[in-house]
Amino acid sequence: MTDQLDNLFSRVLSAKIFANREMMRPDYIPNDLPHREDQILRLAEILAPSLKGSRPSNVFIYGVPGTGKTAVTKYVLKKIEDEGRKVGISLEVAYINCKHDDTNYRVLADLCESVGERIPFTGLSTSEVFRRFVNLVDSSERMIFAILDEVDALVKKTGDKALYDLTRINQRLSRTRISIVGITNDLKFMEYLDPRVRSSLGEEELVFPPYDASELEDILSRRASFAFNRNTFEASVIKLCAALAAKEHGDARRALDLLRISGEIAERNGNNKVMEEHVRMAQKEIEKDRVVEVIRTMPLHSKILILSLHLLGKGGSTGELYDLYCTLVKNMCLEPLTQRRVSDLINELDMLGIANAKVVSKGRYGRTKVVSLSISTKNLKEALQEDQRLGALIKK
Ligand SMILES: Nc1ncnc2c1ncn2[C@@H]1O[C@H](COP(=O)(O)OP(=O)(O)OP(=O)(O)O)[C@@H](O)[C@H]1O
Ligand SMILES: [Mg+2]
């Protein structure tokens, strides 16, 4: 063991692929955001009146995941804050990720905290928190930008009441002004909103289109030129990462993840250069993580169905699967879903690449659907590890 560890440590210490791995992390905001020049200028143009003391319009930003919405917004606001400091204007930015703070209470409490008042975790009514926020921000003259990132998460969970109040808040303030920047990757989000909220949140709208393969290549090359040491990757590696990510939906996060993980795999293997084969392995690793995450967040009955598939071993007919599923469900003192519903779930699992369903001919006995599991026992264990009842049933 000691030998193995020594080996591992010396491999890690002598690894020369990354010059600065941090720069490949998803939350790192680069100084250089190629192919987002238009969006940067447009957002800056909308928000710049704040530097002269007027309230900028609210802005609504949307685009599919990984198109630079968060990075561009943080970048522009940082520049505006810096400029505000230079010209002596007090600009404050409250950045809230509504996926983490997905209740009206948490969002308002976070806004309060960003202007200096701690709010207890519970105990106050939402309207009381809102009232405190109004009094607090209006106690001195300032301009506040409330960035509501992934704002769809908040609305889906608790409706648009907080957004409604926030978009009207300026009417209640006499000294301070607040502008809202709402960000979402749910392109249908605006449809869920009350029309009044929609029109005030979307005073200005900014669309972030997906990147194409050559844009992703640029983004990757520039990031890699800082994050990786010289001569540690082939140009073909960047091309491949860009092409794979462009095939999904032009997601820069996916492209960067692929390149970072490829570099990590190369280092782990003791290679001095990232090669295409490392990218292929990285792609598999990401795919595996995706499947594990998908299963982990599935409803209980889907998990039980997956477990039944695992217990069937090489696969079985839909009838056998349903019987096994019913047995497991009843053992847990639950009520089974109907065969029809289970059949829908099987189709879903098939589409997600978790199960494989195929119709086979049984000669004169007709045709039957045979289902088997497409993921490894190791991945299944990882996906079900939080649910001990299910995890305990996995065959060794
Ligand atoms: N033009 C760009 N240049 C360099 N890096 C970029 C660019 N666009 C995005 N990135 C990087 O890609 C990753 C994803 O970007 P970001 O988080 O801004 O996406 P997003 O549009 O907010 O996605 P989501 O909707 O999933 O929140 C980040 O690491 C970001 O730094
Ligand atoms: Mg984002």
Side-chain angles (χ1 to χ4, degrees):
M1 196 64 201
T2 321
D3 279 358
Q4 274 169 302
L5 280 180
D6 284 348
N7 229 328
L8 186 146
F9 294 148
S10 77
R11 258 206 328 267
V12 169
L13 285 170
S14 64
K16 294 195 184 66
I17 302 266
F18 290 102
N20 191 344
R21 193 193 304 250
E22 288 305 300
M23 286 188 172
M24 292 301 287
R25 287 188 54 83
D27 47 3
Y28 174 80
I29 307 288
N31 253 328
D32 183 31
L33 291 159
H35 303 292
R36 284 293 94 122
E37 293 81 3
D38 290 352
Q39 285 75 11
I40 291 175
L41 277 177
R42 183 77 193 106
L43 185 60
E45 189 176 51
I46 297 168
L47 302 182
S50 58
L51 293 168
K52 292 172 87 179
S54 357
R55 185 189 84 84
S57 306
N58 294 331
V59 193
F60 183 61
I61 296 180
Y62 59 97
V64 294
T67 46
K69 300 179 297 296
T70 301
V72 163
T73 306
K74 285 189 169 172
Y75 174 85
V76 170
L77 280 154
K78 166 102 185 25
K79 293 278 180 204
I80 295 221
E81 256 183 313
D82 291 348
E83 192 61 30
R85 225 168 284 135
K86 273 192 221 153
V87 298
I89 286 254
S90 168
L91 301 178
E92 287 168 42
V93 178
Y95 175 85
I96 293 166
N97 186 315
C98 303
K99 209 168 206 162
H100 304 148
D101 295 327
D102 60 355
T103 60
N104 291 334
Y105 187 90
R106 281 308 322 152
V107 166
L108 292 172
D110 248 34
L111 279 172
C112 283
E113 271 170 34
S114 67
V115 290
E117 168 147 325
R118 286 194 70 78
I119 296 289
F121 220 73
T122 51
L124 301 173
S125 68
T126 310
S127 51
E128 170 60 17
V129 184
F130 189 68
R131 203 187 55 77
R132 285 195 193 186
F133 178 63
V134 169
N135 288 341
L136 201 71
V137 290
D138 218 18
S139 57
S140 65
E141 191 171 326
R142 51 186 156 182
M143 171 73 223
I144 297 176
F145 291 104
I147 317 299
L148 303 178
D149 204 349
E150 317 214 27
V151 61
D152 51 294
L154 171 71
V155 174
K156 281 176 199 156
K157 176 116 187 244
T158 40
D160 54 12
K161 171 83 170 70
L163 267 187
Y164 179 80
D165 289 344
L166 280 173
T167 50
R168 312 269 123 172
I169 196 171
N170 289 294
Q171 296 163 3
R172 298 175 59 173
L173 300 172
S174 51
R175 291 196 265 190
T176 292
R177 288 159 310 278
I178 297 187
S179 277
I180 303 171
V181 179
I183 307 177
T184 184
N185 57 29
D186 179 344
L187 308 187
K188 286 214 180 119
F189 170 68
M190 275 303 205
E191 289 172 18
Y192 315 136
L193 293 177
D194 177 307
R196 288 168 302 176
V197 181
R198 193 186 309 166
S199 65
S200 42
L201 185 60
E203 283 172 340
E204 294 280 356
E205 284 187 16
L206 217 56
V207 186
F208 280 52
Y211 297 113
D212 65 23
S214 82
E215 290 172 335
L216 288 172
E217 223 177 297
D218 265 351
I219 291 171
L220 284 180
S221 314
R222 295 217 216 163
R223 279 286 270 271
S225 67
F226 296 108
F228 284 67
N229 281 315
R230 286 163 77 89
N231 300 323
T232 49
F233 55 88
E234 301 280 346
S236 62
V237 159
I238 301 270
K239 257 198 159 48
L240 181 57
C241 292
L244 289 171
K247 222 164 57 182
E248 295 244 328
H249 62 250
D251 179 341
R253 186 182 296 112
R254 167 55 73 95
L256 286 161
D257 280 350
L258 263 174
L259 186 59
R260 190 193 71 248
I261 296 170
S262 307
E264 286 167 357
I265 293 175
E267 275 197 346
R268 245 184 320 199
N269 291 352
N271 298 115
N272 294 326
K273 229 176 179 150
V274 188
M275 286 174 291
E276 284 184 37
E277 64 189 71
H278 299 129
V279 180
R280 303 269 175 214
M281 289 187 211
Q283 169 87 338
K284 280 210 186 99
E285 218 168 90
I286 290 177
E287 195 53 31
K288 183 213 96 179
D289 286 350
R290 190 188 63 85
V291 168
V292 167
E293 184 56 22
V294 167
I295 299 179
R296 213 177 54 73
T297 52
M298 274 183 172
L300 181 62
H301 281 268
S302 301
K303 288 183 180 166
I304 299 175
L305 193 61
I306 293 173
L307 187 61
S308 317
L309 272 167
H310 160 75
L311 294 173
L312 271 181
K314 284 198 164 60
S317 69
T318 42
E320 287 168 313
L321 177 63
Y322 187 69
D323 288 347
L324 188 51
Y325 155 81
C326 288
T327 312
L328 290 181
V329 170
K330 284 178 191 154
N331 278 344
M332 291 180 195
C333 303
L334 299 167
E335 198 55 36
L337 300 173
T338 61
Q339 187 144 14
R340 194 184 166 121
R341 180 73 193 109
V342 165
S343 172
D344 289 343
L345 289 181
I346 294 172
N347 290 339
E348 265 173 41
L349 295 176
D350 190 15
M351 260 172 14
L352 289 166
I354 294 167
N356 180 14
K358 59 176 189 260
V359 178
V360 294
S361 162
K362 293 251 170 178
R364 62 196 175 91
Y365 300 107
R367 288 144 66 83
T368 175
K369 200 178 207 176
V370 172
V371 203
S372 59
L373 196 62
S374 318
I375 60 164
S376 69
T377 305
K378 186 163 162 273
N379 292 353
L380 183 67
K381 266 195 192 137
E382 213 176 311
L384 298 183
Q385 68 187 3
E386 278 162 29
D387 198 321
Q388 287 176 354
R389 275 179 312 174
L390 301 183
L393 294 172
I394 298 177
K395 286 193 292 197
K396 293 267 181 308

